[in-house]
Amino acid sequence: MKYGLLIINCIILTIGTCGGPLLTRLYYNNGGKRIWFMSFLSTAGCPIILIPLLFSFLNRRNRNKAENVAKTELFLMETPLFIASIVIGLLIGLDNYLYAYGLAYLQVSTSSLIIGTQLAFNALFAFLLVKQKFTPFSVNAVVLLTVGTGILALHSDGDLPANESHKEYVVGFLMTVIAAVLYAFILPLVELTYKKARQEITFPLVLEIQMVMCLSATCFCVVGMFIVGDFKVIAKEAREFKIRGSAFYYALIVITGIIWQGFFLGAIGIVFCASSLASGVLISVLLPVTEVLAVVCFREKFQAEKGVSLLLSLWGFVSYFYGEFKSGKIVVDKPQQTETELPTTLPAVSDSVA
């Protein structure tokens, strides 16, 4: 079952990682200026998680009826896990703002190469927080992906987007670096939360955790939108949008929210199916792909170094997952364990993640 879940989450994460930055940059390129609004959209698509949660609840209720269990709990999450999810959600909200701010003043390719540095920090935090052990394959993957990102950084010409000042570029660069470090911390923090939970971590519970985290992050960004007055100007911005006015604007907003939700859904799902380092590796390997798409969509420059980075990233991706499968860390019949030594059988419920 976990092989199937892992593949599904990899696909979802791929769509979110590649599509989210491109749609966000499309918004900025055509007259959009609301940074807090873009931060809000990163997690505002979370109501879509209610669909698999509903099916999960109906499945549990039917199973309980067959077993003559009188009551089916609507929610699986207990209070400590609920509080931890809120705290992590607030960190995600802050990270969303930092990333949206950086992308407002950087090209997609430049932003992607900076975000690629998160893998090194992710490996460090995974080692410190969840004692993630390094294998020759994972070390090779980290080195290859980091070198690929370094090649891009060393040969990046740092072109400013149109109408952006050097000061805005520098601030955007620093914001993106901080966003990379913070997200590298969040992934192993989620994994640590799974391990410390005083209840069995099942896939439906992971969905509930994702829902709470995204709602918390969304509320954080809503407060920011109120403070800067975004709600007062969204309608005006929609009318003045450069591409086909209001209709295209609102369609772009909805699609952007759904695509970004796929990013968080896939990232946290891979943490559940494999590890936080695996999630960080896949995010990093997809960044050069995003750069290629940025070249095609926005005509950003593509040097030979970007092609070399792409090859190194693919090599690192294959190296890491080959090592995981060879060492047996990713297995079908071995669910995530908690410190309470709960049963080792994974319920037959397959939802999507986060």
Side-chain angles (χ1 to χ4, degrees), residues 19 34 101 129 135 145 159 165-166 181 201 216 222 237 251 284 341 345-347:
R34 316 316 303 176
Y101 192 106
L129 294 179
T135 67
L145 291 165
D159 286 342
S165 68
H166 180 71
V181 175
I201 301 297
S216 178
V222 166
E237 185 176 79
S284 294
E341 294 296 320
T345 55
L346 185 67

XYZ file of all heavy atoms in Angstrom, residues 19 34 101 129 135 145 159 165-166 181 201 216 222 237 251 284 341 345-347:
153
model
N 4.289 23.723 -10.695
C 3.211 24.619 -11.088
C 3.039 25.826 -10.195
O 2.736 26.931 -10.679
N -0.079 41.790 -4.541
C -0.459 41.486 -3.158
C 0.312 40.273 -2.634
O -0.042 39.120 -2.897
C -1.965 41.246 -3.042
C -2.856 42.224 -3.788
C -2.457 43.670 -3.632
N -2.419 44.093 -2.236
C -2.020 45.290 -1.858
N -1.586 46.168 -2.757
N -2.042 45.604 -0.574
N 7.186 36.722 -0.899
C 7.894 38.004 -0.974
C 9.094 37.881 -1.905
O 9.326 38.741 -2.772
C 8.352 38.426 0.427
C 8.830 39.859 0.512
C 8.046 40.835 1.112
C 10.068 40.232 -0.010
C 8.482 42.154 1.179
C 10.510 41.541 0.057
C 9.704 42.499 0.658
O 10.135 43.805 0.731
N 16.962 16.326 14.537
C 15.639 16.164 15.137
C 15.162 14.717 15.180
O 14.577 14.281 16.172
C 14.612 17.020 14.387
C 14.779 18.544 14.474
C 13.705 19.242 13.675
C 14.724 19.008 15.933
N 23.301 7.248 4.530
C 23.904 6.106 3.840
C 24.778 6.665 2.724
O 24.663 7.844 2.376
C 22.821 5.193 3.241
O 22.151 5.908 2.181
C 21.808 4.784 4.299
N 22.954 17.024 -5.508
C 21.940 18.071 -5.584
C 22.493 19.414 -5.126
O 22.171 20.460 -5.697
C 20.733 17.672 -4.738
C 19.928 16.496 -5.292
C 18.985 15.946 -4.229
C 19.149 16.918 -6.517
N 19.913 38.498 -13.159
C 19.104 39.479 -13.856
C 17.905 39.902 -13.022
O 17.206 39.071 -12.454
C 18.611 38.921 -15.198
C 19.728 38.861 -16.226
O 20.746 39.543 -16.029
O 19.559 38.134 -17.201
N 14.047 47.191 -8.441
C 15.304 47.834 -8.072
C 16.280 46.807 -7.506
O 15.892 45.691 -7.139
C 15.043 48.927 -7.029
O 14.622 48.347 -5.803
N 17.551 47.212 -7.428
C 18.566 46.318 -6.866
C 18.272 46.033 -5.397
O 18.472 44.902 -4.926
C 19.945 46.951 -7.009
C 21.054 46.091 -6.457
N 21.465 44.924 -7.064
C 21.827 46.238 -5.336
C 22.444 44.384 -6.356
N 22.677 45.162 -5.306
N 15.582 27.849 4.486
C 16.052 27.313 5.768
C 14.867 26.926 6.653
O 14.859 25.852 7.273
C 16.937 28.343 6.498
C 17.329 27.834 7.880
C 18.185 28.650 5.676
N -0.177 6.722 13.947
C -0.241 7.641 12.810
C -0.697 6.869 11.581
O 0.069 6.088 11.001
C 1.129 8.307 12.551
C 1.584 9.068 13.793
C 1.021 9.261 11.361
C 0.688 10.210 14.213
N -4.295 26.715 10.002
C -3.508 27.594 10.855
C -2.669 28.563 10.025
O -2.619 29.767 10.295
C -2.596 26.758 11.760
O -1.785 27.570 12.577
N -4.307 35.463 6.637
C -5.502 36.316 6.628
C -5.300 37.533 7.526
O -5.688 38.657 7.179
C -6.747 35.518 7.073
C -7.904 36.456 7.406
C -7.166 34.550 5.982
N -7.723 45.174 -8.332
C -6.604 44.503 -8.986
C -7.105 43.530 -10.051
O -6.500 43.403 -11.118
C -5.780 43.757 -7.935
C -4.520 43.118 -8.488
C -3.667 42.462 -7.409
O -4.010 41.345 -6.983
O -2.666 43.074 -6.986
N -9.884 32.957 -12.043
C -9.567 31.572 -12.414
C -8.129 31.237 -12.018
O -7.847 30.144 -11.494
C -9.771 31.369 -13.913
N 14.061 19.175 -4.229
C 15.282 19.717 -4.827
C 15.469 19.246 -6.265
O 15.892 20.012 -7.127
C 16.503 19.316 -3.984
O 16.463 19.923 -2.722
N 4.470 2.176 20.915
C 4.467 0.799 20.457
C 3.052 0.299 20.144
O 2.587 -0.718 20.650
C 5.100 -0.106 21.516
C 6.576 0.151 21.730
C 7.386 -0.160 20.492
O 7.074 -1.160 19.835
O 8.305 0.617 20.183
N -0.188 -2.829 12.195
C -0.974 -3.017 10.977
C -1.531 -1.692 10.519
O -2.088 -0.924 11.309
C -2.146 -3.985 11.226
O -2.920 -3.499 12.316
C -1.617 -5.377 11.535
N -1.373 -1.388 9.253
C -1.888 -0.143 8.681
C -3.308 -0.372 8.201
O -3.561 -1.281 7.420
C -1.023 0.293 7.500
C -1.373 1.645 6.882
C -1.062 2.759 7.873
C -0.586 1.844 5.589
N -4.288 0.414 8.677
C -5.668 0.229 8.256
C -5.807 0.352 6.767
O -5.093 1.108 6.118
C -6.406 1.385 8.974
C -5.536 1.725 10.132
C -4.132 1.470 9.675
